[in-house]
């Protein structure tokens, strides 16, 4: 069938993450797989008959957050419809400025050649495949943080099919972040100066280590003992190493924490709170 032949060909040429990685980037990312060249150009958007792709959900609608070592399994669900019913649908993720061998620098392709399909009704099915984001293989460099696009194909039981190089649905792949808070001295006398330090770090896919996220606005929040919610006291900017530091006057027993809202390449993160005993 066309869908299996197409996916098999693409899986062979794309090889999970070897979508023509530029030589300069490959040199800067020694842990990345060797760059591969397309054996042939992937076929462009096609529509034959009346098969339609109505919806795609990636990772349950959530960002894909990747650290420095752990693999992340990601489900892609494709909902498609055809008057004859849906035989199969599959998808994969790719990163780059356009869908050609010179502009694509990353991909996540499933091992399977067909989706796990469940019928919604006689004409519509949702088919699911799993891809893997691996910081030791296909998430090889910080350049891959940001929006990834979805390639997909669906086929009706009558042989009609539709293929999209970049379905309107996209997903953000982000560098995992860490945030800490430490308030001192503990205990502290009421009215005395309290120093609240911390650090904002994020995964560096070039080095496979966490490093400071610099010059970022981070909120310092406080919750008085017995209260139900936090209040933002001030905004602190991380320094050249990602460190945070500010001072304030101790007023009452309570909890302090730092909160980072996130960016297009890094998710939001909230530190564990630190309780201060004020006497």
């Amino acid at each position: 069938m066309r869908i299996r032949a197409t996916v098999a060909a693409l899986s062979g040429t794309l090889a999970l993450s070897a979508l023509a990685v530029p030589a300069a980037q490959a040199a800067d990312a020694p842990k990345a797989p060797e760059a591969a060249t397309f054996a042939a150009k992937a076929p462009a958007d096609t529509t034959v008959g009346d098969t339609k792709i109505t919806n795609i959900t990636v990772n349950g609608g959530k960002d894909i957050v990747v650290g420095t070592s752990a693999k992340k399994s990601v489900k892609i669900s494709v909902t498609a419809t055809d008057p004859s019913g849906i035989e199969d649908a599959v998808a994969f993720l790719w990163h780059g400025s356009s869908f050609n061998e010179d502009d694509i620098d990353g991909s996540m392709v499933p091992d399977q050649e067909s989706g796990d399909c469940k019928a919604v009704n006689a004409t519509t099915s949702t088919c699911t495949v799993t891809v893997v984001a691996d910081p030791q293989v296909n998430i090889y460099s910080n350049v891959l943080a940001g929006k990834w696009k979805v390639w997909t194909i669906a086929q009706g039981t009558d042989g009609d099919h539709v293929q999209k190089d970049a379905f309107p649905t996209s997903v953000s792949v982000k560098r995992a972040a860490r945030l800490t808070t430490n308030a001192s001295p503990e205990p502290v006398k009421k009215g005395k100066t309290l120093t609240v330090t911390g650090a904002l770090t994020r995964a560096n896919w070039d080095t496979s280590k966490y490093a400071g996220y610099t010059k970022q606005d981070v909120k310092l929040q406080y919750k008085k003992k017995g209260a139900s919610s936090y209040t933002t006291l001030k905004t602190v900017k991380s320094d050249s190493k990602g460190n945070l530091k500010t001072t304030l006057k101790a007023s009452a027993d309570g909890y302090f924490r730092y909160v980072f809202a996130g960016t297009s390449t890094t998710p939001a993160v909230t530190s564990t709170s630190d309780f201060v005993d004020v006497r």
Side-chain angles (χ1 to χ4, degrees):
M1 301 302 290
R2 172 187 162 78
I3 192 167
R4 288 180 173 81
T6 300
V7 174
L10 284 171
S11 296
T13 55
L14 305 185
L16 278 178
S17 63
L19 270 172
V21 179
Q25 292 180 14
D28 292 336
K31 291 187 178 181
E34 292 184 4
T37 302
F38 280 124
K41 294 272 188 177
D45 285 2
T46 57
T47 300
V48 176
D50 43 18
T51 306
K52 296 180 180 179
I53 298 169
T54 58
N55 187 58
I56 291 181
T57 301
V58 181
N59 199 38
K62 299 179 180 179
D63 295 339
I64 301 170
V65 179
V66 184
T68 58
S69 59
K71 300 177 183 179
K72 174 75 174 181
S73 293
V74 177
K75 289 187 176 182
I76 307 174
S77 297
V78 181
T79 301
T81 185
D82 185 281
S84 70
I86 293 298
E87 178 180 329
D88 201 1
V90 294
F92 69 82
L93 304 179
W94 61 275
H95 181 272
S97 58
S98 66
F99 194 73
N100 66 62
E101 63 178 300
D102 295 322
D103 299 329
I104 297 176
D105 56 11
S107 70
M108 300 180 212
V109 178
D111 288 331
Q112 63 209 82
E113 293 182 4
S114 60
D116 178 13
C117 297
K118 295 183 179 180
V120 176
N121 53 46
T123 62
T124 304
S125 292
T126 296
C127 303
T128 302
V129 296
T130 299
V131 300
V132 177
D134 187 343
Q136 301 301 312
V137 179
N138 56 6
I139 305 298
Y140 62 88
S141 173
N142 295 333
V143 300
L144 298 178
K147 291 292 184 182
W148 283 56
K149 303 175 183 68
V150 183
W151 180 97
T152 186
I153 186 172
Q155 180 172 297
T157 58
D158 59 0
D160 290 351
H161 55 268
V162 59
Q163 176 184 310
K164 297 291 184 182
D165 292 345
F167 194 79
T169 295
S170 63
V171 63
S172 291
V173 178
K174 296 187 175 183
R175 299 162 60 178
R178 296 172 176 173
L179 185 57
T180 62
T181 299
N182 181 54
S184 63
E186 301 177 61
V188 63
K189 290 184 178 181
K190 184 175 182 178
K192 293 296 184 179
T193 298
L194 189 65
T195 301
V196 186
T197 59
L200 175 64
T201 58
R202 63 174 176 167
N204 186 324
W205 297 331
D206 294 321
T207 63
S208 296
K209 298 178 180 180
Y210 277 80
Y213 196 6
T214 66
K215 309 303 180 184
Q216 298 300 309
D217 289 335
V218 181
K219 292 180 179 179
L220 175 64
Q221 296 186 338
Y222 170 75
K223 182 175 73 172
K224 187 176 181 180
K225 183 179 179 180
S228 59
S229 60
Y230 281 86
T231 300
T232 298
L233 300 179
K234 61 174 70 175
T235 297
V236 182
K237 191 175 291 291
S238 60
D239 68 13
S240 59
K241 295 183 179 180
N243 295 319
L244 302 161
K245 183 177 181 180
T246 190
T247 60
L248 47 85
K249 298 296 182 182
S251 58
D253 291 356
Y255 302 84
F256 291 88
R257 71 181 187 184
Y258 279 117
V259 178
F260 176 58
T263 64
S264 62
T265 60
T266 308
V269 62
T270 299
S271 73
T272 299
S273 61
D274 188 18
F275 180 77
V276 176
D277 179 13
V278 178
R279 300 178 178 178

